[in-house]
Amino acid sequence: MIPSPASSERFPRMMGEFDLIKTYFTRPTKRAVLGVGDDCALLALAPGMHLATSTDMLVEGRHFLSTVDPYRLGHKALAVNLSDLAACGARPLAFTLALALPSVDEKFLEGFSQGLLDLAQAHDCELIGGDTTRGPLNLCITVFGEVPAGQALLRSGARVGDDVYVSGALGDARLALEVLCGRLNLPSNGLELTRRALELPQPRVSLGMALRGLAHSAIDLSDGLLGDLHHVLLASGVGARLNVDAVPCSSLLQEQPIDWQHECTLAGGDDYELLFTAAPESAPAVQALAAAQGIPLTCIAQIIASERPGELRLHDKHGAKVVNQWHSFDHFAAVNT
Ligand code: ADP
Ligand code: MG
């Protein structure tokens, strides 16, 4: 890097860069051939497997509030990446962590690394390297997974006639954000419940793997249902007909006015559930999978042929047409800047 007066003491007074890496981010590896400590890490891929990889960055003020608990921040930083592997039907193997920190705050690092490594252990996904520097708080994780060649779930595989499903319940993360930003009130136990959805999302890794060979296409829901579904429709060159009242939401959200329910479930974002499409004949297999995994899988739409790929027709439970007035998240859209 470019030498500067600060470069020889990027983390002065307290713990240095390499002690920090050793203490908080170096753990023995079981699967990786080589983990943290050398110029590269080494992963051995089993024959017949493709490497699935994905990167997600979390920026303070953009993706998380400065008040978030460090343990939950560590959890979420990895969870959003594991969710991408889940959407492809890949098994997690390892990840790297690029970290910019304003200072060495050991209390923060303890909580953050614990949240990160607890989730990593739960999914048997090893931290094998990264980069650490001083700067405004910024977290970037790259995950590596494996998927049998030719079996990855893609956005482009939706077929006309497919049913469209979502896992779990949508909208609670957005509900929590509204409360935390002071725009909405919930009873205090309600806040903690929805806050868990926002801060401790559980990536649907085993569901994603189980959908291989059953789902025709899949995506994880990070920017809002309608926007993410639109990605699938465009990639697959099809349209969809969606029942806005069929989208599953928590009992807390069901108590909210219907406009709020729709706003949170259709455009909320940060759900980290899976959306997938499957042939109508697969409906019994999908419900058997839901029972086996203990995760609700709800059919909310059908894929239709369309001369305008990406076309989304919305209707309510009575079949009446609903005008699409929702905007999914886009970092560079005028409405969000
Ligand atoms: P280099 O200068 O060769 O890129 P670094 O000095 O940046 O290496 O890092 C030393 C070792 O520590 C490398 O193996 C790197 O992958 C690892 N590392 C650095 N930061 C982190 C981190 N935040 N988490 C995990 N490993 C890290
Ligand atoms: Mg480096």
Side-chain angles (χ1 to χ4, degrees), residues 17 130-132:
E17 174 183 341
D131 199 23
T132 306

Side-chain angles (χ1 to χ4, degrees), residues 17-18 21 25 35-40 97-99 127-132:
E17 174 183 341
F18 299 103
I21 295 167
F25 301 115
V36 170
D38 214 303
D39 292 309
C40 287
L97 167 70
L99 190 61
L127 178 55
I128 56 167
D131 199 23
T132 306

